[in-house]
Amino acid sequence: MSENAPRSPETHLIDYRAAERLLEAGDPRGAVKLLDAVIDAHPETTGPRLLRARAFFAAAQLRPAELEFELVLEREPDNAYAHFGLARTYERAGRPARARRHFRLAAALDPKPEYLKAARFDE
C-alpha cells in the first residue's frame, strides 16, 4: 500500500494497537508517528488523543502533552485519567498549583489509591 492510499478503519485500529506496543516498549516518538494518521482520520475520537498525550509525556514533550490532555478534557471533563495525566504534566513542568488541582479532580472522579495519594487531601 502506498503512503497516499486511503487507509481503512482496520488499519487505523492496527496502528493504534501498534502505537500502544511502541509506547510500552519505550518508543514514544514512534507511537506519536503512528497516532498522527489515526487522529487525522478520526479527530473526534479521544482514545488515540489520550494515547498520544501519554506518548508526548513519555518523550518529555510537555507542551504537546498538555494540549492533548486538555483537548481530551474539553470533550470528556469527567475523564479522571486525563486529569491525572495533565496533573503529572504540570508537575513535571514545574507548575505545582495547577498540578494539584488536576490531581484532586482525578481523585474526586475516581478514588484510585494512586490518584488519592497524588491529591494529598490531608495537606
Side-chain angles (χ1 to χ4, degrees), residues 28-42:
R29 293 178 194 275
V32 167
K33 286 179 187 175
L34 283 177
L35 291 166
D36 287 344
V38 176
I39 290 168
D40 286 346
H42 306 279

Side-chain angles (χ1 to χ4, degrees), residues 12-116:
H12 294 139
L13 180 59
I14 291 166
D15 286 348
Y16 178 84
R17 296 291 182 220
E20 287 179 318
R21 300 299 171 265
L22 285 172
L23 187 57
E24 290 170 8
D27 183 5
R29 293 178 194 275
V32 167
K33 286 179 187 175
L34 283 177
L35 291 166
D36 287 344
V38 176
I39 290 168
D40 286 346
H42 306 279
E44 297 303 315
T45 305
T46 56
R49 288 193 177 277
L50 195 55
L51 185 58
R52 187 163 70 173
R54 290 177 47 212
F56 280 136
F57 180 83
Q61 295 180 353
L62 301 181
R63 184 64 180 145
E66 177 183 338
L67 293 172
E68 286 292 344
F69 282 125
E70 287 174 345
L71 202 145
V72 169
L73 288 169
E74 283 176 18
R75 296 175 184 172
E76 297 178 7
D78 60 345
N79 187 317
Y81 184 82
H83 280 289
F84 187 75
L86 182 57
R88 290 182 58 217
T89 303
Y90 285 143
E91 182 178 61
R92 196 167 174 190
R95 298 161 71 189
R98 295 195 93 179
R100 187 173 190 164
R101 177 179 184 270
H102 286 278
F103 278 136
R104 289 183 173 196
L105 285 166
L109 290 165
D110 184 357
K112 287 182 177 180
E114 179 182 14
Y115 295 177
L116 290 168

